Amino acid sequence: MRYRRRRCPRKRILICILLLCGLILWILWLGIRIREPFSAACSHVIRQDATGILVDCAEQTMQQAQLESTEFAAVVKNEAGEVVSVELLSGAVSMFQNQVTGRVNDALNAYARSDVLVPLGSASGMTLLAGRGPNVRVRVRPAGSVQAELLTEFSQAGINQTCHQILLRLTVTLDVAAPMNCQPVTVTYTCLLSETIIVGKTPDGIWAH
């Protein structure tokens, strides 16, 4: 009568433990390998969305200001009709700033209530897989309110001509809650409020140096 040799249970357990350890190490290695590409892909998607929000809100507010014939600067001339200065109309600028920041804050809060989907294939670093694969849900929330900074710039626009611009720089920072520790994303957009060309006296001649 023949007897079959039974396999040792300890050997099976040891093999299972080794396979489990190998799987865990592979998952950890894969996570480390794709952490930076995924973080970059995540930041890219969120930066595009945030930039679109800033542009849309600024354009909507500017269209409203144009319909209301809002002026942000006034040209001051002397008795001879020459431009001597450009004055900032602070009341109109302040109203525009409050309107656009309010719209941006509302849009960002609505954006934060929805899940941002980032294709996992974008984290592979391969062009063929960009935008493909299963989506990873990422949570985003504004890190404070939008920051608005008023800027004025003078630049040469031609022979004896100066271009005066009034700009509003909008900056938002979004905190990202992702499975692989994405960094906060900061986006800046500059909106042109007013542009004035100041024409001075025409010079008697032009000299080349």
Side-chain angles (χ1 to χ4, degrees):
M1 190 173 184
R2 296 181 179 179
Y3 295 93
R4 294 183 178 179
R5 182 179 298 178
R6 295 182 178 179
R7 295 183 178 179
C8 180
R10 294 182 179 179
K11 190 174 181 180
R12 291 184 178 181
I13 295 174
L14 181 61
I15 293 175
C16 291
I17 292 175
L18 291 176
L19 292 176
L20 182 60
C21 291
L23 180 61
I24 294 175
L25 290 175
W26 180 78
I27 293 176
L28 292 175
W29 173 83
L30 183 62
I32 294 174
R33 183 178 178 86
I34 68 173
R35 178 185 301 173
E36 291 187 3
F38 180 79
S39 179
C42 182
S43 299
H44 177 71
V45 171
I46 295 173
R47 186 171 287 106
Q48 281 188 327
D49 293 344
T51 301
I53 290 175
L54 293 179
V55 173
D56 291 341
C57 291
E59 288 183 350
Q60 291 173 9
T61 310
M62 181 59 70
Q63 290 175 0
Q64 179 181 350
Q66 291 174 351
L67 291 175
E68 297 174 355
S69 300
T70 303
E71 296 291 339
F72 300 104
V75 177
V76 179
K77 299 181 179 180
N78 58 15
E79 296 179 355
E82 299 173 342
V83 177
V84 294
S85 66
V86 179
E87 292 185 356
L88 178 69
L89 302 179
S90 57
V93 173
S94 179
M95 182 178 296
F96 179 89
Q97 180 175 326
N98 292 335
Q99 290 175 350
V100 70
T101 53
R103 283 183 174 176
V104 171
N105 286 328
D106 292 341
L108 289 178
N109 289 330
Y111 179 66
R113 288 192 293 268
S114 61
D115 290 333
V116 180
L117 302 179
V118 179
L120 190 59
S122 299
S124 64
M126 300 178 62
T127 306
L128 293 177
L129 298 180
R132 302 176 182 271
N135 292 321
V136 178
R137 295 183 179 273
V138 178
R139 299 293 296 177
V140 179
R141 65 181 180 86
S145 301
V146 57
Q147 301 296 320
E149 180 184 5
L150 188 65
L151 305 172
T152 57
E153 293 183 358
F154 290 90
S155 60
Q156 186 175 0
I159 300 176
N160 207 26
Q161 293 182 352
T162 303
C163 178
H164 173 263
Q165 292 181 327
I166 300 175
L167 308 168
L168 185 65
R169 178 178 295 167
L170 303 172
T171 303
V172 297
T173 300
L174 300 174
D175 287 334
V176 183
M180 299 175 190
N181 191 24
C182 288
Q183 298 295 324
V185 177
T186 300
V187 179
T188 301
Y189 174 71
T190 302
C191 174
L192 176 64
L193 301 185
S194 174
E195 184 176 66
T196 304
I197 303 296
I198 303 173
V199 181
K201 295 181 179 179
T202 304
D204 296 333
I206 300 175
W207 300 91
H209 295 277

